[in-house]
Amino acid sequence: MQIVNEAAKFRYRSGNEFNCGGLTIRSPYGAVGHGGHYHSQSPEAFFCHVPGLKVVIPRSPREAKGLLLASIRDPNPVIFFEPKWLYRLSVEEVPEGDYMLPLSQAEVIRKGSDITLIGWGAQLAVLEQACEDASKDGISCELIDLRTLIPWDKETVEASVSKTGKLLISHEAPITGGFGAEIAASIAERCFQRLEAPVARVCGLDTPFPLVYEPFYMPTKNKILDAIKATVNY
């Protein structure tokens, strides 16, 4: 209630005379291996539907620090989702000094020519594994970390899809109403004449997050690899 009805609308209802004082809300999200239906949820799409909020999700410790500092210094309220997998499994050198990474600027972390892959958070590690396996079959994947979901970097994604002609989006959240659907719709509008295959989505299922059956729910490397091959061979 306070996030959606007050924080998100603070600047708007004041005519931009005041803001929330750089409000940033940190929240863990996503699969953790044993979280079950409560502690493994990915609710980012809920907050992406609220005008006035920014939604940021890092993929690694270095990204987390730079994006978090940028979020804190942004005048808009930011929902900063932290993938739970990264708390224990991600190891990386992080600069000690002060630095920021720009919000709403996606990063192309792997260049390719046959298909564009998009993800955020911990899903980037899974997508990278799929890219490696696809390369063994001669498929060149371009991988993009969206970093900021709202407002997202349409230009970088559009440029990539215009080059490859194919797009695959992957996230842990349920497929129906997930943010991948917004990306798919926008790219279909902006790149319709360049698309050579339907936009593919490899996402979580439309069920509560299962505990015992988590491996079946998750958008795994093999699911992504199958979708890459099907899209490239469409």
Side-chain angles (χ1 to χ4, degrees):
M1 175 70 117
Q2 294 302 309
I3 297 172
V4 172
N5 276 354
E6 300 300 334
K9 298 170 176 60
F10 219 56
R11 291 185 70 191
Y12 177 81
R13 71 187 182 92
S14 73
N16 201 32
E17 289 187 8
F18 47 84
N19 56 51
C20 294
L23 173 67
T24 295
I25 300 170
R26 295 176 57 195
S27 173
Y29 94 107
V32 70
H34 54 266
H37 51 284
Y38 292 129
H39 302 294
S40 294
Q41 298 181 90
S42 298
E44 65 267 23
F46 294 160
F47 296 97
C48 288
H49 199 64
V50 181
L53 295 178
K54 291 189 176 184
V55 178
V56 178
I57 305 179
R59 72 173 185 270
S60 69
R62 183 184 180 280
E63 292 279 312
K65 180 177 177 179
L67 291 170
L68 181 58
L69 287 173
S71 297
I72 292 170
R73 291 161 182 164
D74 193 282
N76 301 285
V78 178
I79 309 296
F80 192 87
F81 282 114
E82 302 171 1
K84 292 179 183 177
W85 277 119
L86 301 187
Y87 288 152
R88 296 177 180 175
L89 298 181
S90 187
V91 179
E92 185 180 44
E93 291 291 332
V94 178
E96 294 184 3
D98 189 317
Y99 68 94
M100 295 188 294
L101 296 174
L103 302 185
S104 299
Q105 182 174 311
E107 181 183 5
V108 179
I109 60 179
R110 184 187 181 107
K111 293 283 187 179
S113 57
D114 295 328
I115 184 172
T116 300
L117 275 60
I118 296 177
W120 47 86
Q123 193 62 14
L124 264 297
V126 182
L127 286 164
E128 285 189 282
Q129 294 171 5
C131 289
E132 287 293 333
D133 283 6
S135 68
K136 298 174 184 176
D137 292 324
I139 301 174
S140 174
C141 301
E142 182 146 299
L143 180 57
I144 297 176
D145 178 4
L146 206 57
R147 286 171 154 178
T148 303
L149 272 62
I150 291 293
W152 62 286
D153 185 356
K154 295 181 182 179
E155 290 72 23
T156 296
V157 176
E158 180 181 355
S160 178
V161 175
S162 294
K163 177 179 68 174
T164 65
K166 303 174 186 70
L167 174 63
L168 183 151
I169 308 157
S170 184
H171 56 67
E172 292 181 17
I175 189 169
T176 299
F179 195 69
E182 173 61 28
I183 298 172
S186 294
I187 293 303
E189 292 173 355
R190 299 165 73 101
C191 302
F192 182 76
Q193 293 182 317
R194 298 302 301 270
L195 283 171
E196 300 172 6
V199 176
R201 288 182 291 156
V202 183
C203 308
L205 306 179
D206 290 332
T207 70
F209 199 104
L211 178 59
V212 177
Y213 299 112
E214 179 174 309
F216 299 98
Y217 176 95
M218 292 292 289
T220 61
K221 178 194 72 173
N222 289 337
K223 291 180 183 178
I224 295 168
L225 186 59
D226 287 345
I228 290 173
K229 293 177 179 178
T231 304
V232 169
N233 296 321
Y234 178 79

